[in-house]
């Protein structure tokens, strides 16, 4: 029901309630992103996107009345220049020009469909955009050609483990990691060039198959938040160590993005 502003000392923080961003409307916050001007965009499940200026004052609100595809927004990511990619519960992907405030849409081509974008990653090496969806698998959007490549549980000899994608993370070696509702996936090149997926699930040592968030530490280990504790994966030897709330975790169950 709002966001917390943490200061550089790492100790002091303030709560910014939704009422300061959206007025009398109140909805859960799902994501936020900062633009080059220092404005912070706050995405909610139901209110669209609100903007906070660097001085803390309320800026514009972006919702379906202004061209947003759906008011339930789950993912934000920096695009090209002043553009902001928006993942929501509607069809396709929206793009906000932070300079003009205009919203445009990237829709699925005829014969295909994707929607409910829960995670976005833009590859800085080639400008391609990875989209993780709820129920429609993993989608790769080539911004140069305008074409989409779809990866689902029925794609190729080494398919992704689930079509329900919750998180995306690119490691320091540019490996793409995909958190799903059925395990962690590692994208690897294949002879055909499409890519295949290596799964990590409970039988491999994960405490739970639902992967809400992924982060890498300074030693190259991946930390995975799940519905049953926290896992540390060493990608070099695939060793997994699990941590639970009886080991000073606040709770075993994490939320999307946490």
């Amino acid at each position: 029901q709002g966001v917390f502003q943490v200061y550089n000392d790492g100790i002091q923080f303030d709560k910014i309630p939704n009422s300061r961003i959206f007025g009398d409307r109140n909805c859960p916050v799902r994501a936020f992103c900062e633009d080059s001007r220092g404005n912070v965009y706050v995405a909610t499940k139901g209110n669209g996107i609100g903007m906070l200026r660097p001085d803390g004052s309320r800026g514009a609100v972006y919702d379906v009345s202004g061209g947003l595809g759906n008011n339930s927004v789950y993912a934000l990511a920096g695009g090209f220049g002043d553009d902001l990619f928006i993942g929501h519960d509607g069809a396709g992907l929206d793009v906000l020009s932070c300079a003009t405030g205009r919203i445009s849409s990237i829709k699925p081509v005829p014969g295909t469909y994707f929607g409910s974008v829960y995670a976005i990653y833009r590859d800085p090496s080639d400008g391609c955009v990875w989209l993780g969806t709820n129920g429609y698998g993993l989608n790769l959007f080539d911004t140069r050609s305008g074409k989409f490549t779809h990866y689902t549980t029925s794609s190729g000899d080494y398919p992704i483990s689930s079509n329900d994608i919750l998180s995306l993370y690119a490691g320091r070696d540019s490996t793409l990691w995909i958190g799903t509702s059925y395990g962690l996936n590692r994208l690897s090149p294949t002879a055909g060039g499409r890519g295949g997926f290596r799964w990590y699930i409970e039988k491999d040592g994960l405490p739970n198959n639902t992967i809400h968030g992924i982060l890498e530490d300074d030693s190259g280990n991946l930390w995975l938040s799940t519905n049953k504790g926290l896992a540390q994966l060493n990608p070099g030897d695939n060793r997994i160590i699990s941590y639970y709330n009886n080991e000073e975790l606040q709770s075993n169950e994490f939320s999307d993005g946490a």
Side-chain angles (χ1 to χ4, degrees), residues 44-65:
T44 71
K45 185 180 179 181
N47 277 344
I49 303 169
M51 188 251 280
L52 276 173
R53 299 188 179 96
D55 63 4
S57 62
R58 183 167 62 189
V61 172
Y62 304 93
D63 56 22
V64 293
S65 66

Side-chain angles (χ1 to χ4, degrees), residues 80-116:
F80 303 98
D82 281 325
D83 288 346
L84 185 68
F85 290 120
I86 303 169
H88 52 62
D89 231 357
L93 179 74
D94 283 354
V95 183
L96 169 67
S97 169
C98 298
T100 66
R102 295 176 181 173
I103 296 175
S104 57
S105 297
I106 301 172
K107 297 296 186 185
V109 297
T112 67
Y113 179 85
F114 75 91
S116 298

Side-chain angles (χ1 to χ4, degrees), residues 236-252:
D237 59 14
N238 296 321
R239 186 168 61 99
I240 297 173
I241 302 173
S242 297
Y243 300 87
Y244 302 95
N245 66 346
N246 59 0
E247 299 171 277
E248 300 187 358
L249 280 182
Q250 181 180 353
S251 172
N252 276 339

Side-chain angles (χ1 to χ4, degrees), residues 130-131 133 136-141 148-156 158-165 176 187-188 190 193-197:
W130 292 91
L131 308 172
T133 72
Y136 301 98
L138 181 66
N139 294 271
L140 174 62
F141 175 51
F148 283 91
T149 303
H150 305 278
Y151 299 88
T152 68
T153 54
S154 58
S155 299
Y158 302 94
I160 199 164
S161 65
S162 171
N163 289 331
D164 185 14
I165 313 298
L176 184 67
L187 177 64
S188 302
T190 63
R194 271 185 59 88
F197 298 88

